[in-house]
Amino acid sequence: MTLKNQKHLFDIQDDVTYLNIASQSPTFKATYNAGLEGLKQKSQPYTIKTSDYFEPVIELKKLFSNLVNAEHYNRIALIPSVSYGMATVANNIVLNEGDEVLVIDEQFPSNMYSWQKLAKTYNATIKVIEAPDTVKQWNEDILNAIHEKTALVAMGNIHWSNGSLFNLKAISVKAKSHNSLLVIDGSQTVGALPFSIKDIQPDALICAGYKWLFGPYGCAYGYFGPYFDNGNPIEENWTNRLDSEDFSGLTNYQPEYKPMANRYSVGESGNFIYVKMQIEALKQLIQWTPKGVQDYCKQISLEAVKELKALGCKIEEDNYRTHHLFGIKLPENIDLHALKKDLFNKNIFVSFRGNYIRISCHLYNTAEDFKPLINCLASHL
Ligand SMILES: Cc1ncc(COP(=O)(O)O)c(C=O)c1O
C-alpha cells in the first residue's frame, strides 16, 4: 500500500517548507491532544490512579518493541536521551588495555563521549573509521577494521549528517565472530526505515524519541539484550524494583529488579504527559510502518534529487543512502551565508553542515515542497 500525504494530521503552516525533521519533529495533532490530557490529569491529581504509573509504560514498551521487532517488551527501557542510554551501556563494559572501540567518522557526540571516557579509563583506543570516497568503501573499511581487539562497535545504521547507509547485518555477523559488542544509535532511522532487532541482533539499540518517533523532546528508548540482564543501572529508581506497584510496601526495600531491561529506565519514566504523547505517536507510526514512510519519502524526493544533481549538487547513489534523510554537497562557488539567510527569510528549513545541506522529509511533505528549496538554490548559482 502506498501512503498518501498526511499533512492534515500535523499543525504545519502552509507558508513553511519544513525539510528538517532530522533536527526536531513536528507533533501530530493527536500527540498534542494526548499531551494536553496528561496536563489535565496533572491539574487534577486526584484522578491519577496507581495503575497510571505502570500500565501506560507497559503499553508504550510493547509498541516500541513491536516497531523494532524485539523479542520481548521487557527488553525496552524508557530513557531521557541517547547520552543517558550510552552512559548506561558504558557503565556495563569493562575493557582490557589495548582493546579497541570502533566508531564512525564524525559520529554524533552522544554516541562518542561515553566511549572516549571508557577508553581513557581502561587505556583502550578509539578506532575511527574515516569516510572514504564512497559508502561502499566505507562499509568495507568498517568490516575490515573489526578484529580480535575490537571490544565494542558503536555506530548508527546511517550517518546522521548525510544518510549514508551502513550494512549492519554484515557488521553484526563480523562483530559477533570476534565477540565484540554491537551498540546502535537508531535515532535517525528507527520509525522511518525498517529495523529489526531479531534480524540485526545488536546488544543495545538506543534511539532519541523526538525525531522520527514523534515524541516530546526529552524522551528516548533503549533496547538492552541479554548481555545487560544482570548489569548496573546508573541510578536506582523505585519503580524498577519488583512489586513497586504495591505502594503500601515501598519501604520493604526490594533487592530484586524487574526482569530484563527494566532496571535501566530513568526515574519517573511513567511521566503522564510524555508517555501519553509517545503512545499516540508510536501507534501512528506502526500503522504507517517504517517501510511505508521510507517509500513515501523516496517517491516525493526522486525528482528533486535529479534536479539538484542537474544544478551541480552531489548526492550519494540511491542504494547507499536513505530517502527520509540525505545530504547534498553544494557547488563550491556558492555563498553559504547568503543562501542560509535567503532560505530562512523564505521559511525554508533544512540543516547546514559546512558545505553540505541535510534534507529530511516525512508524510507532511509533498514533492512540491522541494521546489522552493531548488528555486532558492538555483538563484544563488
Ligand atoms: C544520531 C543522533 N544521535 C543522538 C542524537 C541526540 O542525542 P541526545 O538524545 O543525547 O541529545 C541526535 C540528535 O541530533 C542524533 O542525530
Side-chain angles (χ1 to χ4, degrees), residues 22-23 80-84 108 110-111 160 185 187-188 208 210-211 217 220 358:
S23 295
S81 61
V82 171
S83 55
Y84 187 99
F108 194 81
S110 289
N111 190 12
W160 64 285
D185 178 354
S187 302
Q188 293 291 9
Y210 66 93
K211 300 173 186 288
Y217 190 56
R358 179 181 67 183

Side-chain angles (χ1 to χ4, degrees), residues 53-55 57-58 61 73-74 228-231 237-247 250 254-265 269:
Y53 290 82
F54 302 99
E55 285 173 10
V57 167
I58 292 176
K61 288 180 181 179
Y73 73 88
N74 274 327
F228 294 93
D229 277 356
N230 298 307
N237 190 260
W238 62 275
T239 51
N240 297 344
R241 297 292 170 115
L242 266 190
D243 304 325
S244 51
E245 297 80 0
D246 176 10
F247 281 16
L250 290 183
Q254 168 58 263
E256 295 282 320
Y257 293 103
K258 289 178 182 168
M260 299 181 184
N262 277 289
R263 67 188 64 196
Y264 300 119
S265 282
S269 64

